[in-house]
Amino acid sequence: MKKTISSLSIIIPVYNEEDNLLLLHENLMAVLISLNYEYEIIYVDDGSNDNSFSILGQIAQQNVKAKVIKFTRNHGQTSAIAAGINYSVGDAVIFMDADLQNDPTDIPMLLAKLNEGYDVVSGWRKDRQDTWLTRILPSKMANWLISNITKVHLHDYGCTLKVYRNKVLKGYKLYGEMHRFLPAYAVNVGASIVEVPVKHHPRKFGKSKYGLGRTVKVLLDLFTVKFLNSYSQNPIYVFGSVGIILMLGGILLILALLVEKILYGHSLTGNPLLLMSVMLTILGVQSIFLGLIGELLVRTYHESQDKLTYHINQLLNINED
Ligand code: UDP
Ligand code: MG
């Protein structure tokens, strides 16, 4: 197989994974050594308060290609991934979870796909080992929605195990739970993508950091992604369209009530349900749009001043330049 890449950056977010790290590193090293690529492993300690950082310190001491970014506090998986991307130098960037749910032995197969010429190879946990009701079902619904709204059709946006050519990742700012929209972003900037089934194991050590709450965040992020993809240059199209529809609805309703009043003498007042439904509609729409304005402001705030969404406490085996 012709190689189209020569070096790898493996990026692994770590939040309280003390019992997984040594085995993870060992499994990963076995694969990397067999692969014969230049590599670096970037562990991002996302403010762990267990022994994770001292274990990462031992790993970094034994292998200069194991690099560690330690955050001052927990900033979330997306920020950890963003920091990893910023410090990565490999031609291909591989994302993995630290909890041994992803399997490093899938990496050679993913790279073979990348070498076929794809820009993104996306892992799909076809046989996912998590609880059905709280994890698999919400994820299925979220994936269906994301697929339909972004028009980038994947089964599993949430699977961390994915490989990207470095060039398609640079220059994208990540917020909230947005790392799962990276495939959609990459395709929007012209990348080719393929999805392949990967192994998935139940979590043996430590606890999952997420529950149902994340689904809500992902849904809200989806609004933002759709909005920014379609309307960030001309928000008036979306604000204006909805405004016109609401205004027309309001005018028609008032006309109908007036007609009723004039022809049949029905009272305009004394219909509280009408008032309530009008208020709820307006308030709901307004709060969604306020959220969207907030998203725009956050971007202005960070990007106009080149502010990062995370703060680093310490770097191991990495020179700041
Ligand atoms: N993680 C992180 N910061 C967080 C939450 C999670 O860096 O605030 C890491 C975590 O250590 C793991 C990966 O993100 O390596 C995925 O987390 P988890 O296994 O809890 O998610 P799940 O597999 O249950 O979706
Ligand atoms: Mg996990």
Side-chain angles (χ1 to χ4, degrees):
M1 172 59 60
K2 192 172 128 286
K3 281 189 185 177
T4 56
I5 44 168
S6 57
S7 55
L8 313 176
S9 299
I10 297 95
I11 296 177
I12 306 182
V14 176
Y15 182 48
N16 294 343
E17 305 284 2
E18 56 185 1
D19 295 324
N20 291 308
L21 290 172
L22 286 175
L23 189 56
L24 168 75
H25 187 71
E26 194 180 308
N27 293 349
L28 184 57
M29 283 307 296
V31 171
L32 290 174
I33 287 166
S34 76
L35 267 175
N36 229 346
Y37 279 98
E38 266 305 306
Y39 73 88
E40 61 175 355
I41 308 172
I42 304 178
Y43 291 103
V44 186
D45 179 359
D46 183 15
S48 299
N49 43 36
D50 65 355
N51 259 326
S52 294
F53 183 66
S54 73
I55 296 167
L56 290 175
Q58 291 165 29
I59 291 173
Q61 211 163 34
Q62 282 162 20
N63 184 348
V64 289
K65 293 176 180 175
K67 307 176 176 182
V68 181
I69 301 169
K70 177 178 161 56
F71 284 175
T72 49
R73 64 168 176 84
N74 181 243
H75 288 294
Q77 192 184 349
T78 299
S79 291
I81 283 174
I85 294 173
N86 285 351
Y87 282 92
S88 65
V89 295
D91 301 332
V93 175
I94 304 173
F95 298 107
M96 272 184 69
D97 283 345
D99 57 2
L100 302 168
Q101 291 201 264
N102 297 135
D103 196 325
T105 60
D106 281 321
I107 292 176
M109 177 266 297
L110 296 173
L111 288 175
K113 272 283 173 201
L114 200 75
N115 278 323
E116 284 178 20
Y118 292 101
D119 298 313
V120 183
V121 183
S122 180
W124 166 21
R125 295 163 294 180
K126 205 169 177 176
D127 184 19
R128 185 169 170 182
Q129 303 294 319
D130 283 315
T131 49
W132 190 81
L133 190 65
T134 55
R135 305 305 303 278
I136 297 180
L137 179 68
S139 146
K140 278 210 157 114
M141 298 191 313
N143 282 318
W144 180 85
L145 259 182
I146 298 174
S147 170
N148 278 288
I149 288 183
T150 63
K151 305 278 185 263
V152 174
H153 301 295
L154 298 179
H155 294 89
D156 194 354
Y157 297 85
C159 176
T160 309
L161 185 57
K162 299 189 195 294
V163 184
Y164 293 78
R165 284 179 201 275
N166 203 331
K167 59 173 195 220
V168 303
L169 287 179
K170 295 283 175 176
Y172 186 48
K173 302 251 179 192
L174 295 170
Y175 301 86
E177 285 287 324
M178 298 273 184
H179 65 270
R180 74 194 54 248
F181 298 108
L182 269 177
Y185 164 77
V187 171
N188 271 336
V189 300
S192 58
I193 190 166
V194 63
E195 189 177 43
V196 291
V198 292
K199 295 175 207 125
H200 194 244
H201 305 294
R203 201 187 236 279
K204 282 207 202 93
F205 309 106
K207 284 203 297 269
S208 169
K209 278 80 198 172
Y210 301 108
L212 266 178
R214 181 170 55 181
T215 312
V216 177
K217 292 187 188 169
V218 168
L219 285 179
L220 292 173
D221 279 347
L222 192 56
F223 278 112
T224 312
V225 166
K226 174 66 185 167
F227 178 73
L228 290 176
N229 270 348
S230 309
Y231 304 110
S232 65
Q233 297 208 21
N234 32 33
I236 189 65
Y237 291 171
V238 70
F239 285 74
S241 310
V242 174
I244 286 170
I245 291 170
L246 288 175
M247 246 170 53
L248 278 180
I251 291 169
L252 287 178
L253 195 64
I254 255 309
L255 285 179
L257 288 172
L258 277 176
V259 167
E260 265 204 296
K261 163 103 182 158
I262 293 162
L263 294 187
Y264 310 107
H266 290 171
S267 164
L268 281 183
T269 50
N271 195 342
L273 278 182
L274 175 68
L275 195 62
M276 190 166 153
S277 69
V278 170
M279 266 179 56
L280 287 180
T281 314
I282 294 175
L283 285 178
V285 167
Q286 277 194 336
S287 57
I288 290 177
F289 285 138
L290 280 178
L292 292 173
I293 292 178
E295 288 282 342
L296 284 178
L297 290 177
V298 160
R299 280 163 176 72
T300 315
Y301 174 77
H302 285 283
E303 287 167 25
S304 62
Q305 306 171 55
D306 254 346
K307 275 201 168 62
L308 298 170
T309 58
Y310 55 83
H311 303 278
I312 289 170
N313 172 287
Q314 210 176 328
L315 297 171
L316 304 181
N317 293 343
I318 297 179
N319 291 324
E320 187 76 74
D321 53 22

